Structure formats: C-alpha cells, structure tokens
Amino acid sequence: MEKMRSSINRKSMARLHKTKVMIAGEQLRLRLHDGKLIKDRRYHLRTYPNCIVAQELTDWLISNKEAPDRATAVCLMQQLMDHDIVHHVCDKHSIFKDAKLLYRFRKDDGTFPFNTEVKVFIRGQRLYEHLITGRDSILQLREEQGVAYQHSIPGCQLMDWLLQNGETESRRQGLEFCRALLEHGIIQHVSKKYDFFDSRLLYQFCINFRRRRHLSELLNETERDKKEGASVHVLEDNHADSPFVLPKIPPQEEHSGFQSVQPTKPLKMIPNVHQAILNSLQLHASGYLPPATLSSAPVVRCNPKSVLKRNVTCEELLSPGAPFIKRVLTVMGDAVGWGFVIRGVAPVYVQAVDPGSPAAAAGVKVRQFVCQVNGRSVLHLDYLQVTRLVMTGPRTVVLEVMEPLG
C-alpha cells in the first residue's frame, strides 16, 4: 500500500512539473515574441519562420536573469526540449546546443503534441481564468472542519458551474474532468485528504496560472524532487502576471472590436462597420460571444480600409508556383480573446492583429489568407462563416494560412 501511494505521488508530481514547464515555456515564448527575438531567418538559401538562434537565446536568458551562466541556460532549454515545447527547426538535434543553430517553439509551427495531458492543462487554465477573473467569483473564503481556506469551492458547486456554462454535458462527465484536473496537479482537496467528489468537500487550484515564473525554478524543483522523492503540492501565491495574457486593456462593458495594447495611442472610431470585421474574436468572462453579437455592435474600432494591395482568388492561392508560403499557426486564446480581425469572402484574410495578443505571439500577420481552421477548409467561405467556426470551436485554434512572399 505504501509503495502504491508513493508511486501515485510520483506520478502526480511528474504531471504537476509538466504543467509548470508548459506555463514557463509559454511565458518565455510570449516574452521572446514581444522582444522580437523570434522571427523569420534565412539559412543556406532557405527561410525558417518563427525561430531563434540558440546563442542569442542563451545571451537573452543571462541578460534577463533567467540563468546565471550559459551552462544553466542550456540546461533550462533542454528541459523545454525534453517536454516537446522547443525543437530544432530540422529536428536534427535532440539536445540544445549553445551554437548558431536555429530552434523553434512547437506552438509556433503547429507541431505541439495535443495529448491528454496538454488538453487537461489547457482546459484547466481556461477554467482558472473563468473562475478567478469573474466579478462574482465562486472561489471564496470558506471553512472546512474549522479551518478557513481562501479561493475554495465545494465540489458540487464546481460541478453545477461546469454544467451551467456548457463546459460539460453531464455530472458524470464533469466528475471525470475534475478528477483529471486533480490527477494532473491543477486542483486539490484543501487538506489533500480526498479525491474529487461531487459533494460539499472544498477544493482549490494548486497552480496560479498568472504568476510569472523564472525558468530557474524548473531546475530547482527537479533537483529537489530527486533528493526528496515525492513531495506535496503547495498552493502558489496570487500574482498579477499571467502566462497567457500579455498586458492589455481590460474588457469593456460594451462590445468593442480591435483593441490595442497601447491605450494611449488614439484609434479612429468607425460606426456601423461590424459587417466587415470579426469583432476581434473577443470573449466575455462567461464564455464565447453568441453569433448574434457579431452583428449587433453599434461602434467598433478597426481599420476601415482593406490592407490588401490587390485582390487574390482561391485559384491563385492554390496554383503551383504561386508567390505564397503555407504556415500552420496555433493560437491559444486568453481571457480576452484571440486578438485578430478577418475580412473578405473566398478567401478570407487577416485585416488586423493586436500586437500583444495570442494571435501575434503565434505568428498571425496582416494580409495572410486563411485556408483552414482546425483542419477544416475555409477557402471558399466568407468571414462570417469563418467567424462562427472559430467562435464555436475550442479555445485553441489551429490556422493554416497562406502568406505572400516578400
């Protein structure tokens, strides 16, 4: 029995560590995009999109105090490679080398493995953002057996919320989801005594998805776990920084379209242009905007003129030798939305991108033509149909786009 309990603890800790590595890796990716270190690079007459030079990354990690020296920086990046977060652009090297080699985050080329662990992680992060940011958050100070616990919730109330908000179709499905969250170290019973039950027992999030992490924490945890074996989940302190949401204007009461991360920069107000935009694929705290919202916003902020230099047909995009390059981009929406605007009809194209949004971090750019959304061809659809497809799909959107050369 003791061996079984120890084995379960080790598996739980391994999953918790995997979750923390994914958060730290995503935070690093967004920071590198923000600092313009991730970009298209040419090597031997070939262009490699959205990549970074290993030596430059090592320099950046040291200068930004993520690592004290180059050896530690290499160890940190190796952890990200071991967890399939970063890879060599040609997959010729399975280890991270401090050299003039090109590496890329898998989320930037659509090769990130969406296995069960990753899906649980994504849904857990999404649930956390919904529950922690709501005005009337159901995560509250509650007591169990005479002890008060902050940001806790009864299991039965969490199940009710999942059903009411369409996150699960039945209580049985909700129970399976919550137990998966517990097994992966995302939530826990407040005193760590019980599995998840649809009852009055209290549960908390073990992980603060918003806390900015230093990569060095990953090595420290690994070394500590090797010395101590299985350890106990520790609740993390709250922090304003979010791993998936770069600093951004808070959502407004009325529906707004394109939002900039630079609120001081004036944006022109254009009335009655909702027919030409995707409404920035913005989310409410309660979930996805209903399709009717797309045609009811009286005033939005957007570019009034098309960014295209000329019209392009679907036949031209698909013709051999056409001056376009195909890219697969994975955009993980945050609590505000995805952050890009589309327009057009057969084909749809990207009209605008919020520079601090998940779309920008994933490599979405203006003038890209959208060919597929989550594996479905959308070349011959209009922007409203593509809008509904994205809005009614998962929070993580995989886009296949065609980008003009030059």
Side-chain angles (χ1 to χ4, degrees):
M1 181 63 71
E2 192 64 33
K3 289 184 178 179
M4 183 179 297
R5 185 178 294 109
S6 177
S7 175
I8 292 174
N9 285 338
R10 281 196 294 270
K11 288 181 180 179
S12 180
M13 286 307 303
R15 286 169 172 167
L16 178 60
H17 181 69
K18 171 75 172 180
T19 298
K20 291 181 178 180
V21 171
M22 285 193 287
I23 294 174
E26 180 64 6
Q27 288 180 342
L28 176 63
R29 186 180 74 89
L30 294 177
R31 291 174 67 190
L32 293 174
H33 271 290
D34 196 40
K36 309 300 182 186
L37 271 77
I38 294 178
K39 54 188 177 182
D40 297 354
R41 299 173 188 269
R42 289 185 63 82
Y43 182 73
H44 285 180
L45 302 180
R46 179 178 175 182
T47 299
Y48 295 90
N50 293 325
C51 58
I52 189 168
V53 179
Q55 281 186 349
E56 293 181 9
L57 177 54
T58 304
D59 294 337
W60 186 91
L61 291 172
I62 295 173
S63 63
N64 284 270
K65 303 188 186 309
E66 290 288 351
D69 50 54
R70 305 191 78 83
T72 303
V74 170
C75 290
L76 291 172
M77 292 309 303
Q78 187 60 47
Q79 282 231 16
L80 298 187
M81 290 193 69
D82 293 341
H83 286 83
D84 286 328
I85 294 172
V86 174
H87 70 122
H88 180 255
V89 290
C90 298
D91 290 319
K92 291 183 178 180
H93 303 280
S94 59
I95 61 174
F96 186 85
K97 295 185 177 181
D98 185 13
K100 291 184 178 180
L101 296 175
L102 299 180
Y103 291 83
R104 184 188 293 129
F105 283 82
R106 290 191 178 276
K107 277 195 64 180
D108 285 335
D109 60 11
T111 62
F112 192 75
F114 283 93
N115 53 29
T116 301
E117 286 188 349
V118 174
K119 290 177 181 178
V120 171
F121 165 78
I122 291 173
R123 290 192 68 189
Q125 188 270 339
R126 178 171 137 188
L127 177 64
Y128 176 90
E129 290 292 342
H130 276 314
L131 297 182
I132 206 72
T133 58
R135 289 181 176 178
D136 301 317
S137 176
I138 57 177
L139 299 178
Q140 299 175 6
L141 178 66
R142 293 183 172 91
E143 285 191 10
E144 183 173 296
Q145 296 183 349
V147 180
Y149 299 95
Q150 290 186 341
H151 306 301
S152 60
I153 182 174
C156 58
Q157 189 174 346
L158 178 56
M159 296 280 286
D160 292 340
W161 188 95
L162 292 172
L163 283 170
Q164 292 167 6
N165 289 272
E167 293 292 333
T168 56
E169 297 178 356
S170 65
R171 297 192 82 84
R172 180 178 179 180
Q173 189 181 91
L175 185 62
E176 293 175 353
F177 171 52
C178 291
R179 286 184 173 172
L181 292 178
L182 191 141
E183 290 174 4
H184 286 77
I186 295 175
I187 64 172
Q188 67 179 23
H189 176 251
V190 289
S191 60
K192 298 177 279 291
K193 292 182 179 179
Y194 301 102
D195 196 351
F196 186 89
F197 292 99
D198 186 1
S199 68
R200 299 298 301 175
L201 290 173
L202 296 181
Y203 297 88
Q204 294 172 311
F205 280 90
C206 311
I207 297 175
N208 180 357
F209 287 90
R210 294 184 165 195
R211 183 175 70 81
R212 187 170 295 284
R213 286 165 171 78
H214 292 284
L215 291 175
S216 56
E217 295 178 28
L218 304 180
L219 284 185
N220 295 337
E221 281 193 3
T222 302
E223 292 301 319
R224 185 175 66 249
D225 291 344
K226 287 180 180 179
K227 293 178 181 179
E228 300 177 2
S231 58
V232 181
H233 295 180
V234 179
L235 293 176
E236 299 181 342
D237 296 330
N238 291 325
H239 198 281
D241 291 329
S242 170
F244 298 109
V245 188
L246 292 176
K248 193 173 302 186
I249 303 173
Q252 304 296 318
E253 283 292 0
E254 60 183 354
H255 306 311
S256 62
F258 183 72
Q259 290 188 324
S260 171
V261 294
Q262 298 173 322
T264 56
K265 186 176 181 179
L267 290 171
K268 189 175 181 180
M269 302 296 290
I270 307 296
N272 301 323
V273 293
H274 54 266
Q275 295 179 344
I277 70 162
L278 181 56
N279 203 30
S280 194
L281 291 180
Q282 191 171 330
L283 292 171
H284 277 181
S286 59
Y288 295 103
L289 285 172
T293 305
L294 297 176
S295 59
S296 61
V299 177
V300 294
R301 301 179 181 96
C302 75
N303 266 335
K305 296 181 181 180
S306 172
V307 295
L308 294 182
K309 298 178 180 178
R310 64 180 181 86
N311 291 328
V312 176
T313 64
C314 296
E315 291 71 21
E316 183 178 351
L317 286 175
L318 298 175
S319 62
F324 299 93
I325 182 172
K326 181 186 294 184
R327 291 188 176 181
V328 178
L329 310 173
T330 302
V331 186
M332 182 183 291
D334 58 25
V336 176
W338 291 269
F340 65 101
V341 179
I342 61 172
R343 290 176 68 177
V345 178
V348 166
Y349 61 90
V350 178
Q351 169 71 10
V353 181
D354 183 337
S357 67
V364 178
K365 302 176 183 178
V366 295
R367 301 189 186 92
Q368 287 176 338
F369 294 91
V370 184
C371 300
Q372 291 188 13
V373 174
N374 295 328
R376 176 178 170 179
S377 176
V378 297
L379 260 182
H380 298 282
L381 303 182
D382 62 34
Y383 74 94
L384 284 177
Q385 293 171 304
V386 178
T387 296
R388 295 189 185 96
L389 185 61
V390 174
M391 298 286 281
T392 58
R395 179 70 66 90
T396 299
V397 179
V398 179
L399 302 175
E400 181 181 293
V401 301
M402 297 291 282
E403 181 177 313
L405 293 173

